[in-house]
Amino acid sequence: DGGITQSPKYLFRKEGQNVTLSCEQNLNHDAMYWYRQDPGQGLRLIYYSQIVNDFQKGDIAEGYSVSREKKESFPLTVTSAQKNPTAFYLCASSVGQGIIYEQYFGPGTRLTVT
Amino acid sequence: DQQVKQNSPSLSVQEGRISILNCDYTNSMFDYFLWYKKYPAEGPTFLISISSIKDKNEDGRFTVFLNKSAKHLSLHIVPSQPGDSAVYFCAASIPNTGNQFYFGTGTSLTVIP
């Protein structure tokens, strides 16, 4: 079945540690996105990538980094510079650029940093 | 600054009745609007969309209405079913910006059997 996988579903880290969240898609989509959701808030865009080896910052990129070495994969690293890393992280993908396409979401990773 | 707003955090509706979820936006550049449905601890799933050249789009029990002059859109669910209980997000996009979406804060819908 085609879809987006995020692993793990729950992740716990100590403050000061970097952590990498995985996102893989087999939909052959060109574009991929990372969002963060906090209680009572909408989804906020962290980074997005429209093509391999290229990515752009979203609204809240500070303290995060990404890479896009393969079309299928778009890992997100939450660095120790991120002041409030505890949140629900969602990865999404869409067909591509130009015409607006709906985004398909993975199941999410809940990160807790203590 | 929240460009897409859902002012009702929650809504309760009896099964079989109509559910109306509202969304307002401030950016007149938005050209495409979507509704997503989200269950707890899961990713959102796409429900229905509408382009700014239309004022209505229908898909089964779901209809989205767009009022561009009022910068307002709404999602109607008729008839509402208990399985519709979820958080609903509206989203908007500006053309030629890498398919970026701006999401509202969500409305939690509860359909009472």
Side-chain angles (χ1 to χ4, degrees), chain A residues 14-74:
Chain A
K14 293 289 186 187
E15 196 173 320
Q17 293 179 334
N18 290 356
V19 58
T20 298
L21 281 59
S22 164
C23 177
E24 304 277 331
Q25 54 101 357
N26 60 3
L27 299 167
N28 200 32
H29 285 172
D30 286 317
M32 296 186 75
Y33 311 81
W34 273 106
Y35 292 90
R36 168 184 172 136
Q37 186 190 14
D38 295 283
Q41 295 200 36
L43 282 64
R44 293 183 291 166
L45 183 66
I46 304 172
Y47 267 98
Y48 66 102
S49 167
Q50 296 177 275
I51 198 167
V52 174
N53 292 324
D54 187 44
F55 48 82
Q56 286 79 40
K57 293 181 180 180
D59 297 326
I60 55 166
E62 187 176 346
Y64 299 98
S65 66
V66 292
S67 62
R68 187 84 187 277
E69 296 176 3
K70 297 187 300 182
K71 188 175 184 178
E72 303 79 24
S73 178
F74 191 40

Short mmCIF file of all heavy atoms in Angstrom, two decimals, chain A residues 14-74:
data_model
loop_
_atom_site.label_atom_id
_atom_site.label_comp_id
_atom_site.label_asym_id
_atom_site.label_seq_id
_atom_site.Cartn_x
_atom_site.Cartn_y
_atom_site.Cartn_z
N LYS A 14 16.16 13.38 26.47
CA LYS A 14 16.59 14.31 27.51
C LYS A 14 16.92 15.65 26.87
O LYS A 14 17.40 15.71 25.72
CB LYS A 14 17.84 13.77 28.20
CG LYS A 14 17.60 12.50 29.01
CD LYS A 14 16.80 12.80 30.25
CE LYS A 14 16.69 11.58 31.13
NZ LYS A 14 15.77 11.79 32.25
N GLU A 15 16.68 16.69 27.63
CA GLU A 15 17.00 18.04 27.16
C GLU A 15 18.49 18.12 26.80
O GLU A 15 19.33 17.55 27.49
CB GLU A 15 16.69 19.04 28.27
CG GLU A 15 16.61 20.48 27.82
CD GLU A 15 16.12 21.37 28.94
OE1 GLU A 15 15.22 20.96 29.68
OE2 GLU A 15 16.69 22.46 29.09
N GLY A 16 18.79 18.81 25.70
CA GLY A 16 20.18 18.97 25.28
C GLY A 16 20.62 17.98 24.23
O GLY A 16 21.71 18.11 23.68
N GLN A 17 19.78 16.98 23.97
CA GLN A 17 20.13 15.97 22.95
C GLN A 17 19.45 16.31 21.64
O GLN A 17 18.30 16.76 21.62
CB GLN A 17 19.67 14.59 23.41
CG GLN A 17 20.39 14.03 24.61
CD GLN A 17 19.86 12.67 25.02
OE1 GLN A 17 18.71 12.34 24.75
NE2 GLN A 17 20.70 11.87 25.65
N ASN A 18 20.17 16.08 20.55
CA ASN A 18 19.52 16.16 19.24
C ASN A 18 18.75 14.87 19.00
O ASN A 18 19.14 13.80 19.48
CB ASN A 18 20.57 16.31 18.14
CG ASN A 18 21.25 17.67 18.16
OD1 ASN A 18 20.89 18.55 18.95
ND2 ASN A 18 22.24 17.85 17.31
N VAL A 19 17.67 14.97 18.23
CA VAL A 19 16.91 13.78 17.90
C VAL A 19 16.41 13.89 16.46
O VAL A 19 16.04 14.97 16.02
CB VAL A 19 15.72 13.58 18.88
CG1 VAL A 19 14.80 14.78 18.89
CG2 VAL A 19 14.96 12.32 18.59
N THR A 20 16.44 12.76 15.75
CA THR A 20 16.02 12.76 14.35
C THR A 20 14.74 11.95 14.19
O THR A 20 14.67 10.80 14.63
CB THR A 20 17.12 12.19 13.44
OG1 THR A 20 18.27 13.04 13.54
CG2 THR A 20 16.65 12.16 11.98
N LEU A 21 13.75 12.58 13.55
CA LEU A 21 12.47 11.93 13.27
C LEU A 21 12.47 11.48 11.82
O LEU A 21 12.85 12.23 10.92
CB LEU A 21 11.32 12.91 13.51
CG LEU A 21 10.87 13.17 14.95
CD1 LEU A 21 12.00 13.72 15.80
CD2 LEU A 21 9.68 14.11 14.96
N SER A 22 11.99 10.26 11.64
CA SER A 22 12.02 9.66 10.31
C SER A 22 10.71 9.91 9.57
O SER A 22 9.63 9.92 10.16
CB SER A 22 12.26 8.16 10.46
OG SER A 22 11.94 7.48 9.28
N CYS A 23 10.80 10.11 8.26
CA CYS A 23 9.63 10.21 7.40
C CYS A 23 9.97 9.60 6.05
O CYS A 23 10.92 10.02 5.40
CB CYS A 23 9.20 11.67 7.21
SG CYS A 23 7.79 11.83 6.08
N GLU A 24 9.19 8.60 5.67
CA GLU A 24 9.40 7.92 4.40
C GLU A 24 8.07 7.85 3.64
O GLU A 24 7.03 7.60 4.25
CB GLU A 24 9.89 6.48 4.62
CG GLU A 24 11.15 6.36 5.46
CD GLU A 24 12.41 6.58 4.65
OE1 GLU A 24 12.39 6.29 3.44
OE2 GLU A 24 13.41 7.05 5.22
N GLN A 25 8.12 8.06 2.32
CA GLN A 25 6.90 7.94 1.53
C GLN A 25 7.20 7.11 0.28
O GLN A 25 8.28 7.18 -0.29
CB GLN A 25 6.34 9.32 1.14
CG GLN A 25 7.31 10.24 0.43
CD GLN A 25 7.15 10.33 -1.06
OE1 GLN A 25 6.31 9.65 -1.65
NE2 GLN A 25 7.96 11.17 -1.69
N ASN A 26 6.19 6.31 -0.11
CA ASN A 26 6.32 5.52 -1.34
C ASN A 26 5.23 5.89 -2.32
O ASN A 26 4.76 5.04 -3.10
CB ASN A 26 6.30 4.02 -1.01
CG ASN A 26 5.01 3.59 -0.33
OD1 ASN A 26 4.10 4.40 -0.15
ND2 ASN A 26 4.92 2.34 0.05
N LEU A 27 4.84 7.15 -2.28
CA LEU A 27 3.79 7.66 -3.17
C LEU A 27 4.37 8.29 -4.44
O LEU A 27 3.62 8.78 -5.28
CB LEU A 27 2.96 8.71 -2.41
CG LEU A 27 2.23 8.20 -1.17
CD1 LEU A 27 1.72 9.36 -0.33
CD2 LEU A 27 1.08 7.28 -1.58
N ASN A 28 5.69 8.30 -4.52
CA ASN A 28 6.39 8.93 -5.64
C ASN A 28 6.09 10.44 -5.71
O ASN A 28 6.07 11.03 -6.80
CB ASN A 28 6.04 8.27 -6.98
CG ASN A 28 7.07 8.57 -8.05
OD1 ASN A 28 8.27 8.73 -7.77
ND2 ASN A 28 6.63 8.67 -9.29
N HIS A 29 5.86 11.04 -4.56
CA HIS A 29 5.60 12.47 -4.49
C HIS A 29 6.90 13.25 -4.51
O HIS A 29 7.89 12.86 -3.89
CB HIS A 29 4.82 12.81 -3.22
CG HIS A 29 3.38 12.43 -3.29
ND1 HIS A 29 2.55 12.49 -2.19
CD2 HIS A 29 2.61 11.99 -4.31
CE1 HIS A 29 1.33 12.12 -2.54
NE2 HIS A 29 1.36 11.80 -3.82
N ASP A 30 6.88 14.38 -5.20
CA ASP A 30 8.07 15.23 -5.25
C ASP A 30 8.24 16.06 -3.98
O ASP A 30 9.35 16.30 -3.52
CB ASP A 30 7.99 16.18 -6.44
CG ASP A 30 8.24 15.47 -7.76
OD1 ASP A 30 9.16 14.64 -7.81
OD2 ASP A 30 7.52 15.74 -8.74
N ALA A 31 7.14 16.56 -3.45
CA ALA A 31 7.22 17.52 -2.34
C ALA A 31 6.95 16.84 -1.00
O ALA A 31 6.11 15.96 -0.89
CB ALA A 31 6.20 18.64 -2.56
N MET A 32 7.70 17.29 0.01
CA MET A 32 7.51 16.77 1.37
C MET A 32 7.57 17.92 2.36
O MET A 32 8.21 18.96 2.09
CB MET A 32 8.56 15.70 1.70
CG MET A 32 8.44 14.45 0.81
SD MET A 32 9.53 13.11 1.28
CE MET A 32 8.71 12.48 2.75
N TYR A 33 6.91 17.73 3.49
CA TYR A 33 6.71 18.82 4.45
C TYR A 33 6.84 18.28 5.87
O TYR A 33 6.49 17.14 6.14
CB TYR A 33 5.32 19.44 4.30
CG TYR A 33 4.95 19.80 2.89
CD1 TYR A 33 4.48 18.83 2.00
CD2 TYR A 33 5.07 21.12 2.43
CE1 TYR A 33 4.15 19.16 0.70
CE2 TYR A 33 4.73 21.44 1.14
CZ TYR A 33 4.27 20.46 0.28
OH TYR A 33 3.95 20.78 -1.01
N TRP A 34 7.27 19.15 6.78
CA TRP A 34 7.22 18.86 8.21
C TRP A 34 6.42 19.95 8.91
O TRP A 34 6.65 21.14 8.70
CB TRP A 34 8.63 18.83 8.81
CG TRP A 34 9.29 17.49 8.71
CD1 TRP A 34 10.30 17.12 7.87
CD2 TRP A 34 8.99 16.33 9.50
NE1 TRP A 34 10.63 15.82 8.07
CE2 TRP A 34 9.86 15.31 9.07
CE3 TRP A 34 8.09 16.06 10.53
CZ2 TRP A 34 9.85 14.02 9.63
CZ3 TRP A 34 8.08 14.80 11.09
CH2 TRP A 34 8.95 13.80 10.64
N TYR A 35 5.48 19.48 9.74
CA TYR A 35 4.65 20.37 10.54
C TYR A 35 4.82 20.01 12.01
O TYR A 35 5.15 18.89 12.37
CB TYR A 35 3.17 20.23 10.20
CG TYR A 35 2.77 20.70 8.84
CD1 TYR A 35 2.79 19.85 7.74
CD2 TYR A 35 2.36 22.01 8.64
CE1 TYR A 35 2.40 20.28 6.49
CE2 TYR A 35 1.96 22.46 7.39
CZ TYR A 35 1.99 21.59 6.33
OH TYR A 35 1.60 22.02 5.09
N ARG A 36 4.46 20.97 12.81
CA ARG A 36 4.42 20.76 14.26
C ARG A 36 3.02 21.14 14.74
O ARG A 36 2.46 22.15 14.28
CB ARG A 36 5.47 21.66 14.90
CG ARG A 36 5.38 21.78 16.38
CD ARG A 36 6.38 22.76 16.94
NE ARG A 36 6.12 22.96 18.34
CZ ARG A 36 7.04 23.01 19.29
NH1 ARG A 36 8.32 22.91 18.97
NH2 ARG A 36 6.71 23.20 20.54
N GLN A 37 2.46 20.32 15.64
CA GLN A 37 1.17 20.67 16.22
C GLN A 37 1.30 20.73 17.73
O GLN A 37 1.81 19.80 18.36
CB GLN A 37 0.09 19.64 15.84
CG GLN A 37 -1.29 20.07 16.32
CD GLN A 37 -2.34 19.00 16.18
OE1 GLN A 37 -2.05 17.83 15.97
NE2 GLN A 37 -3.60 19.41 16.30
N ASP A 38 0.85 21.82 18.30
CA ASP A 38 0.80 22.00 19.75
C ASP A 38 -0.66 22.07 20.18
O ASP A 38 -1.52 22.45 19.38
CB ASP A 38 1.55 23.27 20.17
CG ASP A 38 3.03 23.17 19.87
OD1 ASP A 38 3.73 22.49 20.65
OD2 ASP A 38 3.50 23.75 18.86
N PRO A 39 -0.95 21.74 21.43
CA PRO A 39 -2.35 21.75 21.89
C PRO A 39 -3.03 23.09 21.62
O PRO A 39 -2.48 24.15 21.91
CB PRO A 39 -2.21 21.49 23.40
CG PRO A 39 -0.93 20.76 23.55
CD PRO A 39 -0.02 21.30 22.49
N GLY A 40 -4.22 23.03 21.04
CA GLY A 40 -4.99 24.24 20.78
C GLY A 40 -4.49 25.08 19.62
O GLY A 40 -4.97 26.20 19.41
N GLN A 41 -3.53 24.54 18.89
CA GLN A 41 -3.00 25.30 17.76
C GLN A 41 -3.13 24.50 16.47
O GLN A 41 -3.23 23.28 16.48
CB GLN A 41 -1.52 25.63 18.00
CG GLN A 41 -1.29 26.55 19.18
CD GLN A 41 0.06 27.23 19.11
OE1 GLN A 41 0.53 27.58 18.03
NE2 GLN A 41 0.68 27.45 20.25
N GLY A 42 -3.09 25.23 15.39
CA GLY A 42 -3.09 24.56 14.10
C GLY A 42 -1.74 23.98 13.78
O GLY A 42 -0.80 24.05 14.58
N LEU A 43 -1.62 23.41 12.61
CA LEU A 43 -0.35 22.87 12.16
C LEU A 43 0.53 24.02 11.67
O LEU A 43 0.08 24.85 10.88
CB LEU A 43 -0.57 21.87 11.02
CG LEU A 43 -1.05 20.48 11.38
CD1 LEU A 43 -2.43 20.48 12.00
CD2 LEU A 43 -1.04 19.58 10.16
N ARG A 44 1.76 24.02 12.13
CA ARG A 44 2.68 25.07 11.70
C ARG A 44 3.83 24.46 10.92
O ARG A 44 4.42 23.47 11.35
CB ARG A 44 3.19 25.85 12.92
CG ARG A 44 2.11 26.67 13.61
CD ARG A 44 2.68 27.48 14.76
NE ARG A 44 3.10 26.64 15.86
CZ ARG A 44 3.86 27.06 16.86
NH1 ARG A 44 4.30 28.31 16.89
NH2 ARG A 44 4.19 26.25 17.85
N LEU A 45 4.15 25.07 9.80
CA LEU A 45 5.13 24.52 8.87
C LEU A 45 6.55 24.78 9.37
O LEU A 45 6.93 25.92 9.65
CB LEU A 45 4.94 25.14 7.49
CG LEU A 45 5.84 24.63 6.37
CD1 LEU A 45 5.54 23.16 6.08
CD2 LEU A 45 5.64 25.47 5.11
N ILE A 46 7.36 23.71 9.44
CA ILE A 46 8.74 23.81 9.88
C ILE A 46 9.67 23.94 8.67
O ILE A 46 10.43 24.90 8.55
CB ILE A 46 9.15 22.58 10.73
CG1 ILE A 46 8.19 22.40 11.91
CG2 ILE A 46 10.58 22.74 11.23
CD1 ILE A 46 8.41 21.10 12.66
N TYR A 47 9.64 22.95 7.81
CA TYR A 47 10.44 22.94 6.59
C TYR A 47 9.64 22.26 5.49
O TYR A 47 8.76 21.45 5.76
CB TYR A 47 11.74 22.12 6.80
CG TYR A 47 12.94 22.92 7.23
CD1 TYR A 47 13.31 22.97 8.57
CD2 TYR A 47 13.74 23.58 6.30
CE1 TYR A 47 14.43 23.69 8.98
CE2 TYR A 47 14.87 24.29 6.70
CZ TYR A 47 15.20 24.35 8.04
OH TYR A 47 16.31 25.05 8.44
N TYR A 48 9.99 22.56 4.25
CA TYR A 48 9.42 21.82 3.15
C TYR A 48 10.45 21.66 2.04
O TYR A 48 11.41 22.44 1.95
CB TYR A 48 8.13 22.47 2.62
CG TYR A 48 8.29 23.82 1.96
CD1 TYR A 48 8.29 23.96 0.58
CD2 TYR A 48 8.39 24.97 2.75
CE1 TYR A 48 8.41 25.20 -0.01
CE2 TYR A 48 8.51 26.21 2.16
CZ TYR A 48 8.50 26.33 0.79
OH TYR A 48 8.63 27.57 0.20
N SER A 49 10.23 20.65 1.23
CA SER A 49 11.15 20.35 0.14
C SER A 49 10.32 20.03 -1.10
O SER A 49 9.43 19.19 -1.06
CB SER A 49 12.03 19.15 0.51
OG SER A 49 12.71 18.66 -0.61
N GLN A 50 10.63 20.71 -2.18
CA GLN A 50 9.88 20.47 -3.41
C GLN A 50 10.59 19.50 -4.33
O GLN A 50 9.99 18.98 -5.28
CB GLN A 50 9.66 21.80 -4.14
CG GLN A 50 8.80 22.78 -3.35
CD GLN A 50 8.65 24.10 -4.07
OE1 GLN A 50 9.50 24.97 -3.96
NE2 GLN A 50 7.58 24.23 -4.82
N ILE A 51 11.89 19.26 -4.05
CA ILE A 51 12.66 18.39 -4.93
C ILE A 51 13.87 17.90 -4.15
O ILE A 51 14.29 18.54 -3.17
CB ILE A 51 13.07 19.17 -6.20
CG1 ILE A 51 13.48 18.21 -7.31
CG2 ILE A 51 14.13 20.19 -5.90
CD1 ILE A 51 13.57 18.89 -8.67
N VAL A 52 14.43 16.79 -4.59
CA VAL A 52 15.60 16.23 -3.91
C VAL A 52 16.73 17.26 -3.86
O VAL A 52 16.93 18.04 -4.79
CB VAL A 52 16.06 14.95 -4.65
CG1 VAL A 52 17.36 14.42 -4.07
CG2 VAL A 52 14.98 13.88 -4.56
N ASN A 53 17.43 17.25 -2.73
CA ASN A 53 18.59 18.13 -2.50
C ASN A 53 18.23 19.61 -2.43
O ASN A 53 19.11 20.47 -2.59
CB ASN A 53 19.68 17.92 -3.56
CG ASN A 53 20.34 16.56 -3.44
OD1 ASN A 53 20.53 16.06 -2.33
ND2 ASN A 53 20.65 15.95 -4.56
N ASP A 54 16.96 19.90 -2.17
CA ASP A 54 16.54 21.29 -2.02
C ASP A 54 15.45 21.36 -0.96
O ASP A 54 14.56 20.50 -0.92
CB ASP A 54 16.01 21.85 -3.34
CG ASP A 54 15.73 23.33 -3.23
OD1 ASP A 54 16.56 24.06 -2.65
OD2 ASP A 54 14.66 23.76 -3.71
N PHE A 55 15.51 22.35 -0.09
CA PHE A 55 14.47 22.52 0.93
C PHE A 55 14.44 23.98 1.37
O PHE A 55 15.42 24.73 1.20
CB PHE A 55 14.68 21.60 2.13
CG PHE A 55 16.09 21.58 2.68
CD1 PHE A 55 16.52 22.56 3.56
CD2 PHE A 55 16.97 20.57 2.31
CE1 PHE A 55 17.82 22.54 4.07
CE2 PHE A 55 18.26 20.54 2.82
CZ PHE A 55 18.68 21.53 3.69
N GLN A 56 13.30 24.39 1.89
CA GLN A 56 13.11 25.77 2.32
C GLN A 56 12.57 25.80 3.75
O GLN A 56 11.86 24.88 4.17
CB GLN A 56 12.11 26.50 1.41
CG GLN A 56 12.65 26.88 0.05
CD GLN A 56 12.67 25.70 -0.90
OE1 GLN A 56 11.75 24.90 -0.90
NE2 GLN A 56 13.72 25.58 -1.68
N LYS A 57 12.87 26.88 4.43
CA LYS A 57 12.35 27.06 5.78
C LYS A 57 10.88 27.44 5.74
O LYS A 57 10.44 28.19 4.86
CB LYS A 57 13.12 28.18 6.49
CG LYS A 57 14.58 27.84 6.78
CD LYS A 57 15.26 28.99 7.51
CE LYS A 57 16.72 28.65 7.81
NZ LYS A 57 17.41 29.76 8.52
N GLY A 58 10.16 26.92 6.71
CA GLY A 58 8.79 27.33 6.91
C GLY A 58 8.73 28.43 7.95
O GLY A 58 9.70 29.15 8.19
N ASP A 59 7.59 28.53 8.63
CA ASP A 59 7.39 29.62 9.57
C ASP A 59 8.16 29.47 10.87
O ASP A 59 8.45 30.45 11.56
CB ASP A 59 5.89 29.74 9.91
CG ASP A 59 5.06 30.09 8.68
OD1 ASP A 59 5.58 30.83 7.83
OD2 ASP A 59 3.91 29.63 8.59
N ILE A 60 8.49 28.23 11.25
CA ILE A 60 9.11 28.01 12.57
C ILE A 60 10.33 27.10 12.45
O ILE A 60 10.47 26.13 13.17
CB ILE A 60 8.08 27.43 13.57
CG1 ILE A 60 7.44 26.15 13.00
CG2 ILE A 60 7.01 28.45 13.90
CD1 ILE A 60 6.70 25.35 14.07
N ALA A 61 11.25 27.43 11.57
CA ALA A 61 12.39 26.56 11.27
C ALA A 61 13.50 26.61 12.33
O ALA A 61 14.35 25.72 12.39
CB ALA A 61 12.97 26.92 9.92
N GLU A 62 13.50 27.61 13.18
CA GLU A 62 14.59 27.77 14.13
C GLU A 62 14.69 26.58 15.08
O GLU A 62 13.71 26.18 15.71
CB GLU A 62 14.42 29.06 14.94
CG GLU A 62 15.60 29.37 15.83
CD GLU A 62 15.46 30.69 16.55
OE1 GLU A 62 14.59 31.49 16.17
OE2 GLU A 62 16.22 30.92 17.50
N GLY A 63 15.90 26.02 15.18
CA GLY A 63 16.12 24.88 16.06
C GLY A 63 15.89 23.54 15.39
O GLY A 63 15.99 22.49 16.04
N TYR A 64 15.58 23.56 14.09
CA TYR A 64 15.35 22.34 13.33
C TYR A 64 16.28 22.29 12.12
O TYR A 64 16.73 23.33 11.64
CB TYR A 64 13.91 22.27 12.83
CG TYR A 64 12.85 22.25 13.89
CD1 TYR A 64 12.19 23.43 14.25
CD2 TYR A 64 12.49 21.07 14.53
CE1 TYR A 64 11.21 23.43 15.22
CE2 TYR A 64 11.50 21.06 15.50
CZ TYR A 64 10.87 22.25 15.84
OH TYR A 64 9.88 22.24 16.80
N SER A 65 16.55 21.08 11.65
CA SER A 65 17.27 20.93 10.39
C SER A 65 16.71 19.72 9.64
O SER A 65 16.12 18.83 10.25
CB SER A 65 18.78 20.76 10.62
OG SER A 65 19.05 19.54 11.29
N VAL A 66 16.86 19.74 8.31
CA VAL A 66 16.35 18.66 7.48
C VAL A 66 17.38 18.31 6.41
O VAL A 66 18.34 19.05 6.18
CB VAL A 66 15.02 19.03 6.79
CG1 VAL A 66 13.89 19.18 7.79
CG2 VAL A 66 15.19 20.29 5.95
N SER A 67 17.14 17.19 5.75
CA SER A 67 17.90 16.82 4.57
C SER A 67 16.94 16.14 3.60
O SER A 67 15.92 15.60 4.00
CB SER A 67 19.07 15.90 4.93
OG SER A 67 18.58 14.68 5.48
N ARG A 68 17.28 16.20 2.33
CA ARG A 68 16.45 15.52 1.33
C ARG A 68 17.40 14.89 0.29
O ARG A 68 17.55 15.37 -0.82
CB ARG A 68 15.50 16.50 0.66
CG ARG A 68 14.49 15.83 -0.28
CD ARG A 68 13.30 15.32 0.36
NE ARG A 68 12.42 14.55 -0.49
CZ ARG A 68 11.51 15.06 -1.32
NH1 ARG A 68 11.39 16.37 -1.45
NH2 ARG A 68 10.75 14.25 -2.00
N GLU A 69 18.03 13.81 0.70
CA GLU A 69 18.99 13.14 -0.18
C GLU A 69 18.31 12.17 -1.12
O GLU A 69 18.86 11.82 -2.17
CB GLU A 69 20.04 12.44 0.67
CG GLU A 69 20.88 13.40 1.50
CD GLU A 69 21.86 12.68 2.42
OE1 GLU A 69 21.93 11.43 2.36
OE2 GLU A 69 22.56 13.37 3.19
N LYS A 70 17.14 11.70 -0.73
CA LYS A 70 16.38 10.78 -1.57
C LYS A 70 14.95 11.29 -1.70
O LYS A 70 14.43 11.92 -0.77
CB LYS A 70 16.34 9.38 -0.95
CG LYS A 70 17.68 8.71 -0.80
CD LYS A 70 17.52 7.26 -0.34
CE LYS A 70 16.82 7.18 1.00
NZ LYS A 70 16.69 5.78 1.48
N LYS A 71 14.31 10.96 -2.78
CA LYS A 71 12.93 11.42 -3.00
C LYS A 71 12.00 10.87 -1.93
O LYS A 71 11.05 11.53 -1.52
CB LYS A 71 12.47 10.94 -4.38
CG LYS A 71 11.14 11.47 -4.83
CD LYS A 71 10.84 11.02 -6.25
CE LYS A 71 9.56 11.63 -6.76
NZ LYS A 71 9.28 11.24 -8.17
N GLU A 72 12.29 9.65 -1.45
CA GLU A 72 11.37 8.98 -0.54
C GLU A 72 11.51 9.43 0.91
O GLU A 72 10.67 9.13 1.74
CB GLU A 72 11.62 7.46 -0.57
CG GLU A 72 11.51 6.83 -1.94
CD GLU A 72 12.75 7.04 -2.79
OE1 GLU A 72 13.85 7.26 -2.23
OE2 GLU A 72 12.63 6.99 -4.03
N SER A 73 12.59 10.12 1.24
CA SER A 73 12.91 10.33 2.64
C SER A 73 13.15 11.80 2.96
O SER A 73 13.83 12.51 2.20
CB SER A 73 14.17 9.51 2.97
OG SER A 73 14.55 9.71 4.30
N PHE A 74 12.64 12.24 4.11
CA PHE A 74 12.78 13.64 4.50
C PHE A 74 12.90 13.69 6.04
O PHE A 74 11.98 14.09 6.74
CB PHE A 74 11.57 14.43 4.02
CG PHE A 74 11.69 15.93 4.13
CD1 PHE A 74 12.87 16.59 3.84
CD2 PHE A 74 10.58 16.70 4.49
CE1 PHE A 74 12.97 17.97 3.91
CE2 PHE A 74 10.66 18.09 4.56
CZ PHE A 74 11.85 18.72 4.27
#
